[in-house]
Amino acid sequence: MSVRVRFAPSPTGPLHIGGVRTALYNYLFARHHGGEFLLRIEDTDQTRYVPGAEAYIVEALEWLGIRFDHGPHLDNAHPKYGPFRQSERKPIYRQYVEQLIANDNAYYAFDTEEELEAMRSRAEAAGMKNWQYNAITRESMHNSLTLPADEVARRLAAGAAYVVRMKIPRNEEIRFQDAVRGWVTVSTNTLDDKVLLKSDGMPTYHLANIVDDRLMEITHVIRGEEWLPSTPLHVLLYQAFGWDPPAFSHLPLLLKPDGNGKLSKRDGDQLGFPVFPLQWQDPTTGEISSGYREKGYLPEAVINFLALLGWSPGHDEELMTLARMIEVFSLERVGKSGVKFDYQKGLFFQQTYLRQRPVASFVPQVQALLAQEDLPIPPDERLVAALELLRERATFVYDFVAQGRFFFEVPRSYDPEVAQKKWSAAAQTVLGALAQDYRSATQWDAAYAEARFKALAEAHQQKPGSLMPALRLALTGLGTGPGLWDIMVLLGPPATAERLEAAVATLPVPQSA
């Protein structure tokens, strides 16, 4: 059987970055084996449904290059696998519930919420903190295992409210193999009789998940560690139906940067990094949460960063294209332990990929940023040259403007700390003379600009190196930046001279100088 995997999120809000990693691992595994990758929307809990969440999931993954072979946005009416929203598959599940009941693997439970709460309260008063509806307690509840058959039939005919629960056997062991964790063994005595069909007729996650995976011919279930406790129930369901289960793999959690607990949105808010791939506005509160795309991250950087949070290719290679990751991916190299979310490492990948891209690809974005700030937009050739000089210091596209503003307008202010320490009467004299020299230049390149500066500094008995910070301050208003001679070449002689003259006329000599 060919490999077929699925990503099955619930549309309850924005897609967490941990969910993105789960989708990525499914995608890499499918592509590595030449298989198929499905999107299934698990919306059985309609009370938690959030409008726009499904579209957000699709847009986020497509931005990252993770694309599906089947899904509600592609072929929802697929004759074999569709529909791909569980809320639209409701009629399918009923026959499987009835099959479980007929085979004595499930039963009707008529207990009201008030009766269940009363039972919990009595159990707690007796010292049982975690009361369960299980093989022992179900004997004292109102269900089709304790009520006479004619009473059960009467209630069903009268339209009495009920749920269908799984009949968990007593004193058995459930064993299954996990590609990440090895063999897992669980006693059925630790499990409760989970609800499979809710009172509104909708299946719970557990039933719908099993039935859909079977009907969609899923061969491998690759999901987060939080679903590991549910897997014994799922194995029992497969056994009850007489089906072979898929291969299971449970991925380690993404932890807070300090390793203490699961990564949350609050961690990102406090430390200044996104936990969602795209920006999200809560439709109820209007609160806006930042996303990696809107923060300026490149999709290939995010994908590379995420892939290595829990998986290792088995060698020292870190920078990998999506194609390369597909080539070397294996579930056997996914770790068992939770992984710290090292967002600083994410910045490293972002900076690295930014440096690798041709700067010409950033021109439209930079032009848009310049327009937003009412800054002049230079010709493309000159803009590309400026971006080349700024590339090594930039992490995001907006850094080209934030750090290279001096390329687009004359400095309106000067770094006060640099001015206090490096501006002097000697700097005023030499730079004033240098401005006149540059205005009369008949040639212009980096070698000429540097040679004339050094010659004039020495003519005024000054060490060129001591005046370099003042020269940079006059040209850019800053204390750091790209090579000075490269800046001058790009600005040209008149603009360079004008900036030197403006600084000489504007900057006072500090009293201590």
Side-chain angles (χ1 to χ4, degrees):
M1 182 182 294
S2 62
V3 165
R4 186 172 291 106
V5 300
R6 67 357 182 231
F7 179 55
S10 297
T12 56
L15 182 61
H16 188 274
I17 201 70
V20 175
R21 189 194 60 170
T22 298
L24 173 61
Y25 284 8
N26 274 276
Y27 175 82
L28 294 177
F29 183 80
R31 295 294 179 260
H32 179 81
H33 292 282
E36 291 187 326
F37 181 41
L38 284 66
L39 173 65
R40 185 172 72 227
I41 300 299
E42 301 201 335
D43 56 348
T44 54
D45 189 348
Q46 290 289 291
T47 62
R48 299 179 63 219
Y49 175 80
V50 175
E54 180 184 322
Y56 177 97
I57 292 167
V58 172
E59 183 180 355
L61 295 179
E62 288 190 343
W63 172 66
L64 291 165
I66 301 173
R67 293 180 170 83
F68 298 93
D69 299 299
H70 303 288
H73 60 301
L74 296 172
D75 52 358
N76 196 50
H78 190 285
K80 189 173 185 180
Y81 302 133
F84 294 95
R85 296 184 189 94
Q86 287 185 335
S87 59
E88 299 172 12
R89 299 173 63 84
K90 183 177 177 180
I92 296 174
Y93 305 115
R94 186 76 210 190
Q95 61 178 304
Y96 294 99
V97 171
E98 292 173 354
Q99 180 180 334
L100 290 172
I101 294 172
N103 293 336
D104 197 30
N105 289 305
Y107 58 93
Y108 299 105
F110 300 98
D111 315 281
T112 65
E113 283 298 323
E114 292 76 15
E115 289 170 338
L116 291 171
E117 187 56 42
M119 180 60 77
R120 292 189 191 97
S121 298
R122 288 195 295 270
E124 187 173 348
M128 295 174 58
K129 292 184 178 180
N130 298 311
W131 179 82
Q132 289 185 324
Y133 201 125
N134 58 25
I136 295 176
T137 61
R138 67 188 177 217
E139 296 300 322
S140 59
M141 306 301 289
H142 299 109
N143 54 62
S144 57
L145 301 178
T146 60
L147 296 171
D150 58 346
E151 174 63 13
V152 172
R154 186 193 67 78
R155 292 193 181 202
L156 293 176
Y162 67 85
V163 298
V164 174
R165 290 182 178 271
M166 182 70 177
K167 186 180 178 183
I168 302 293
R170 190 75 177 161
N171 300 323
E172 292 186 12
E173 277 194 346
I174 305 166
R175 296 185 77 237
F176 62 92
Q177 191 169 27
D178 188 291
V180 175
R181 298 163 193 283
W183 282 99
V184 179
T185 303
V186 177
S187 169
T188 57
N189 295 343
T190 64
L191 305 179
D192 61 332
D193 290 1
K194 290 290 187 189
V195 173
L196 302 179
L197 191 74
K198 296 179 287 187
S199 58
D200 61 0
M202 286 295 289
T204 60
Y205 165 82
H206 304 292
L207 177 68
N209 177 279
I210 297 307
V211 171
D212 289 346
D213 281 350
R214 174 69 177 186
L215 297 183
M216 294 180 184
E217 300 180 350
I218 300 302
T219 61
H220 296 75
V221 170
I222 305 167
R223 59 191 178 189
E225 177 184 313
E226 62 269 25
W227 295 112
L228 185 60
S230 300
T231 307
L233 170 63
H234 298 173
V235 171
L236 282 176
L237 279 167
Y238 278 108
Q239 291 175 355
F241 285 123
W243 298 336
D244 291 330
F248 293 106
S249 301
H250 289 89
L251 309 176
L253 292 175
L254 290 186
L255 305 177
K256 300 172 186 284
D258 63 6
N260 295 318
K262 187 177 178 180
L263 179 70
S264 70
K265 177 181 176 297
R266 181 177 297 177
D267 301 313
D269 292 342
Q270 291 177 344
L271 296 173
F273 62 87
V275 296
F276 303 133
L278 311 182
Q279 181 175 287
W280 169 262
Q281 183 169 15
D282 189 293
T284 303
T285 65
E287 179 187 2
I288 296 177
S289 300
S290 63
Y292 277 86
R293 183 178 67 182
E294 289 72 21
K295 281 282 190 179
Y297 282 83
L298 300 175
E300 58 265 39
V302 177
I303 283 293
N304 199 160
F305 166 54
L306 272 183
L308 297 177
L309 288 177
W311 167 73
S312 166
H315 43 71
D316 294 334
E317 188 177 6
E318 272 196 321
L319 297 174
M320 290 179 285
T321 63
L322 196 55
R324 176 60 176 159
M325 286 186 268
I326 290 170
E327 181 184 350
V328 300
F329 184 80
S330 71
L331 289 170
E332 288 71 25
R333 299 206 65 84
V334 174
K336 299 179 183 179
S337 302
V339 188
K340 293 180 182 179
F341 192 81
D342 185 358
Y343 64 94
Q344 295 291 346
K345 188 73 171 181
L347 291 173
F348 159 77
F349 281 105
Q350 167 64 19
Q351 187 177 59
T352 302
Y353 278 99
L354 186 81
R355 291 175 179 177
Q356 290 181 349
R357 270 201 189 184
V359 292
S361 67
F362 300 124
V363 165
Q365 291 171 268
V366 174
Q367 289 173 331
L369 291 170
L370 292 173
Q372 288 176 13
E373 299 194 29
D374 292 324
L375 291 172
I377 300 175
D380 286 2
E381 183 178 347
R382 186 166 176 269
L383 181 56
V384 167
L387 299 185
E388 287 286 5
L389 295 180
L390 294 164
R391 181 210 294 267
E392 290 305 307
R393 292 175 176 268
T395 301
F396 299 99
V397 173
Y398 56 74
D399 289 334
F400 287 128
V401 176
Q403 298 177 11
R405 197 179 188 94
F406 58 85
F407 276 121
F408 313 111
E409 68 172 359
V410 175
R412 298 180 181 179
S413 61
Y414 301 91
D415 186 308
E417 185 176 348
V418 178
Q420 179 65 34
K421 293 181 178 180
K422 300 299 182 180
W423 193 254
S424 62
Q428 280 190 325
T429 300
V430 172
L431 297 188
L434 186 63
Q436 293 182 14
D437 186 285
Y438 285 166
R439 280 196 178 278
S440 61
T442 56
Q443 65 179 83
W444 192 248
D445 56 28
Y448 175 85
E450 180 180 9
R452 294 309 302 150
F453 167 71
K454 290 182 175 179
L456 284 171
E458 291 168 358
H460 288 81
Q461 298 181 334
Q462 298 293 318
K463 293 181 179 179
S466 66
L467 298 179
M468 289 285 283
L471 176 59
R472 180 179 295 280
L473 184 69
L475 290 173
T476 69
L478 306 173
T480 60
L484 275 175
W485 320 119
D486 295 325
I487 293 174
M488 290 182 184
V489 168
L490 196 55
L491 291 175
T496 300
E498 286 171 9
R499 294 187 182 205
L500 296 178
E501 290 166 349
V504 168
T506 303
L507 282 167
V509 176
Q511 294 296 320
S512 58

